[in-house]
Amino acid sequence: MSKKLWGGRFEKETDALVEKFTSSIDFDKKLYNQDIIGSIAHARMLAKCGIISKEDAAIIIKGLVEIKIEIEEGNFECTSKLEDIHMHIESRLHEKIGPVAGKLHTARSRNDQVALDMHMYVKEKIHETVGLLDTLAGVLWKLAEKHKNTVMPGYTHLQKAQPVTLATHLKAYYYMLQRDRERFSSALKGADIMPLGACALAGTTLPADREYTRELLGFSKIYENTMDAVSDRDFVMEFLSCASILMVHLSRMAEEIILWTTSEFNFIELDDAFATGSSIMPQKKNPDVLELIRGKSGRVFGNLMAMLTIMKGLPLAYNRDMQEDKEALFDTAETISACLEILPKVLVTMKVNKQNMARAVEDSFADATYFAEYLVKKGMPFRQAHEVVGKMVAYCIKKGKKIKDLSILEFKNFSDLFDEDVVVEERLPDEIINKNN
Ligand code: ARG
């Protein structure tokens, strides 16, 4: 009978199907580094408190460091017989150093151990995400600065509304990303609390020093309550929420650029290196990268829903349901990193068709609000000015003209407040565009 590390009270072997069903090693092996770092700190704390000898701690730590190297060099075998990464590492430690390995799991349970690993993983991912967000935001800002005078239609209801600059449009996304950055940074607070020492749920009677482990592992705080420590996954839900809102933003940006690359808009051309072709239609140049960013938002939202649902009915403290937190978290963390990594490259390589953007403004009545505000400056109440210009638009549609092409006589037919200065050869973007933002 293959002995489980928890096998003392069992008389029968675990059914193979149960082993397979309960195993998480296929996905939680990602946590090997956090697990080993956590175990090293724990061993040091046990030795400092005299719970194990300094010599035993040194043997344990040496063994753990060797296991880390084995894993990184691909010399580590995984089996569903050993449930998860914690059991794998502990069992390998037994093989390497014998019964001394059994001392590592003193004043600790897998419940606080897995919670610790998850906290460390989320902390790392928050730092990584904030770095990637800064790069993307920097690219957007630079591109916006380059296009301060690139006039384009601004839309509401996807109908041309008022002229804006591409800079204003791009900076809208820049500011969304700044909020994402703040959101992720504040999620760090929830991740930066150390659960280790809570053990299974009730702490330990041994004279452990959690404060010392906290310091070794660089956490800001310790959980005040041991049951909360092992059953809290708020920090995972927070990360997934921040990621979902971020994906809303990336997906909107992707959708907009996709629209702009269509021949109907023709505002943007993607670089060949960041577009794909069709296997049947030779003329096609498809924005697959952007479509995938838009599509991947679905799985990120799904992971948040999964996590909320996993947690919502759980009695305190640890329940095995919580093992389901990992795939959702890993998948989201990897998905947002991939999206944040590729999007800046799409942006810096794409070509902006300034003329088509300007033409799209010319071909529209996007300057109507400008003329209404002209009348307001001459003293007309805005509601009345709106009505007057509305009538002018209707007149222009009938005549096949644009407002700016009307003669002074035609202007004056609508209101005496129009002066000669309303008719100009060409109106500079500065005049008709609010560039305050
Ligand atoms: N693989 C488990 C998880 O991810 C580790 C904790 C197991 N604890 C237990 N009491 N069975 O949650």
Side-chain angles (χ1 to χ4, degrees), residues 24 28 83-84 86 109-111 114 233 318-320 322-323 325-326:
S24 56
D28 67 16
E83 284 187 46
D84 52 30
H86 327 294
S109 142
R110 263 189 303 158
N111 298 350
V114 72
R233 292 294 182 273
Y318 178 83
N319 297 269
R320 193 63 176 267
M322 287 156 78
Q323 179 168 290
D325 59 359
K326 287 171 202 63

Side-chain angles (χ1 to χ4, degrees), residues 139-428:
V139 163
L140 272 172
W141 188 267
K142 240 173 134 180
L143 199 60
E145 289 294 295
K146 220 170 102 186
H147 288 285
K148 273 180 151 166
N149 289 310
T150 304
V151 181
M152 66 178 296
Y155 296 80
T156 62
H157 313 267
L158 204 52
Q159 307 286 326
K160 285 176 192 167
Q162 284 178 272
V164 294
T165 63
L166 180 56
T168 303
H169 206 125
L170 294 175
K171 282 183 187 174
Y173 287 105
Y174 169 87
Y175 288 109
M176 288 180 221
L177 296 182
Q178 292 310 301
R179 290 196 295 276
D180 287 319
R181 188 186 199 286
E182 272 173 42
R183 222 171 271 119
F184 275 104
S185 304
S186 61
L188 192 59
K189 229 174 127 198
D192 198 17
I193 313 173
M194 194 198 68
L196 202 64
C199 304
L201 77 166
T204 175
T205 54
L206 294 165
D209 182 354
R210 298 176 70 196
E211 193 42 50
Y212 182 65
T213 329
R214 178 199 69 74
E215 216 183 296
L216 289 180
L217 291 172
F219 277 89
S220 297
K221 290 206 298 190
I222 296 174
Y223 275 91
E224 299 284 344
N225 180 295
T226 53
M227 291 178 80
D228 184 33
V230 286
S231 60
D232 174 29
R233 292 294 182 273
D234 290 1
F235 63 103
V236 177
M237 292 185 268
E238 269 171 4
F239 182 83
L240 299 182
S241 308
C242 295
S244 295
I245 300 174
L246 164 66
M247 285 308 289
V248 169
H249 299 154
L250 299 189
S251 180
R252 290 181 78 175
M253 199 190 317
E255 162 64 13
E256 205 135 48
I257 303 171
I258 291 168
L259 213 56
W260 291 350
T261 60
T262 59
S263 52
E264 286 77 5
F265 274 82
N266 205 359
F267 287 176
I268 292 289
E269 192 187 336
L270 294 180
D271 191 87
D272 278 1
F274 289 93
T276 42
S278 155
S279 52
I280 179 168
M281 297 163 283
Q283 85 284 10
K284 293 285 291 264
K285 182 164 170 183
N286 294 330
D288 292 32
V289 170
L290 296 163
E291 289 169 293
L292 279 168
I293 291 175
R294 189 177 56 187
K296 282 175 192 295
S297 61
R299 58 199 277 180
V300 171
F301 303 167
N303 288 335
L304 171 62
M305 283 308 129
M307 192 61 204
L308 295 171
T309 314
I310 290 161
M311 295 306 294
K312 81 168 183 70
L314 295 188
L316 296 181
Y318 178 83
N319 297 269
R320 193 63 176 267
D321 313 45
M322 287 156 78
Q323 179 168 290
E324 291 287 316
D325 59 359
K326 287 171 202 63
E327 284 160 295
L329 173 65
F330 299 160
D331 183 60
T332 286
E334 282 160 24
T335 302
I336 60 171
S337 288
C339 293
L340 287 170
E341 211 178 324
I342 200 161
L343 190 52
K345 298 194 169 32
V346 175
L347 294 174
V348 290
T349 54
M350 71 189 191
K351 200 174 130 250
V352 176
N353 298 331
K354 291 190 200 181
Q355 273 146 354
N356 289 343
M357 288 186 167
R359 203 169 308 128
V361 175
E362 297 266 305
D363 290 349
S364 73
F365 288 99
D367 53 359
T369 311
Y370 164 78
F371 289 103
E373 287 180 351
Y374 173 99
L375 292 173
V376 167
K377 283 180 203 149
K378 304 271 175 176
M380 189 183 280
F382 182 76
R383 279 283 164 240
Q384 195 187 334
H386 185 286
E387 168 89 15
V388 169
V389 179
K391 289 205 167 101
M392 289 167 67
V393 170
Y395 171 85
C396 287
I397 291 170
K398 248 187 243 149
K399 297 273 172 195
K401 291 183 172 183
K402 296 288 155 210
I403 304 179
K404 65 182 177 53
D405 301 329
L406 298 178
S407 68
I408 186 64
L409 277 177
E410 285 170 306
F411 269 112
K412 284 208 176 281
N413 267 343
F414 290 97
S415 168
D416 273 345
L417 293 178
F418 281 119
D419 286 325
E420 301 286 338
D421 64 351
V422 80
V423 188
V424 288
E425 266 297 283
E426 194 160 1
R427 203 160 264 113
L428 292 171

